[in-house]
Amino acid sequence: MLQEKVAALLNDQVNKEFYSAYLYLEFSNYFEARGLDGFANWYKIQAQEERDHAMLFYQYLHNNNAKVTLEAIAKPEKKLDSDMDVLKAGLEHEMYVTGLINDIYAAAHEAKDFRTMQFLDWFVKEQGEEEVNANDMISKMELFGSDPKGLYMLNSELGSRTYNAPSLVL
C-alpha cells in the first residue's frame, strides 16, 4: 500500500506529465508556424513521450490500489518570441520535472517505499537523458541556427526522429 504522501505526489505527477505534453504540443505549434517541420516533429514526439509517462504513473497508481484524480490541464503560458526561447523553455521545463521526480523519490525513500523507488529509477535516468537532449538542442542552435543552411540541416536532423514508446515494466 502506498503511503498517502507518496500517492499524492505520484497522482500530481500524472497531471504534470499531461501538462508537459500540452507544453510540447505548444512548442510544436510554434515551429509549425515557422515552417520548421523537423523541430515541430521533435516536439510532437516529446508530447507523445510525456503522455506515455503520465500513463505509466496512472497505471502504477492503479496497480497499487491508489485512487487517481485527474485535474484540469492548464494552458501553456510561455511567451515564445524566438526559436531559442522555445529551446531554453524546454530545458527549463525538463529541469523542473527532474525536481518533481526527485521530490517523489525522496518521499518514497523517507517512507521506505522501495517498490516506488524502483519504479522511479527509470524516470530518474530518463530525466537525465531529457536534460542532455535539451542542452544539445540549445548548443546546436547556437552553433548552426543563425546560418540558414545550418538551420535547414538541423531541422532535417530533428525531422528524422521517430517515436519509441517506453518499455517500463510495472
Side-chain angles (χ1 to χ4, degrees):
M1 178 125 178
L2 292 173
Q3 191 243 11
E4 189 175 323
K5 179 181 178 182
V6 173
L9 288 169
L10 289 165
N11 191 87
D12 191 43
Q13 194 63 31
V14 171
N15 294 290
K16 300 283 187 188
E17 296 290 342
F18 280 128
Y19 172 80
S20 295
Y22 267 40
L23 181 66
Y24 288 137
L25 282 176
E26 183 66 18
F27 291 0
S28 182
N29 283 336
Y30 170 87
F31 284 116
E32 285 284 355
R34 289 259 301 119
L36 293 169
D37 60 335
F39 283 84
N41 174 67
W42 201 89
Y43 280 111
K44 234 180 278 183
I45 290 171
Q46 281 298 108
Q48 288 177 294
E49 281 189 8
E50 302 304 343
R51 183 202 63 223
D52 283 352
H53 294 171
M55 293 307 296
L56 288 169
F57 282 103
Y58 173 93
Q59 191 61 52
Y60 183 78
L61 285 161
H62 278 287
N63 289 353
N64 287 279
N65 297 315
K67 184 178 185 313
V68 176
T69 304
L70 299 175
E71 302 292 340
I73 301 170
K75 176 184 175 188
E77 296 293 340
K78 278 284 185 195
K79 188 164 172 25
L80 307 172
D81 292 322
S82 70
D83 299 345
M84 189 59 83
D85 283 349
V86 177
L87 301 182
K88 286 183 177 179
L91 175 59
E92 178 184 312
H93 185 72
E94 289 301 340
M95 292 168 63
Y96 167 71
V97 173
T98 297
L100 295 171
I101 299 295
N102 290 344
D103 289 346
I104 302 168
Y105 201 101
H109 184 267
E110 184 179 317
K112 295 186 179 181
D113 182 349
F114 303 111
R115 183 176 18 175
T116 298
M117 289 167 57
Q118 184 178 25
F119 168 72
L120 291 171
D121 283 342
W122 183 87
F123 288 96
V124 170
K125 183 177 182 263
E126 174 72 5
Q127 282 309 119
E129 292 171 9
E130 294 293 357
E131 287 185 25
V132 166
N133 289 339
N135 266 315
D136 285 351
M137 287 189 55
I138 290 169
S139 295
K140 287 178 181 180
M141 183 61 87
E142 288 172 343
L143 287 170
F144 309 116
S146 61
D147 173 53
K149 291 177 186 171
L151 183 60
Y152 175 81
M153 295 295 288
L154 184 54
N155 187 62
S156 294
E157 176 187 324
L158 296 174
S160 68
R161 182 181 185 196
T162 58
Y163 183 63
N164 297 313
S167 59
L168 181 62
V169 177
L170 302 175

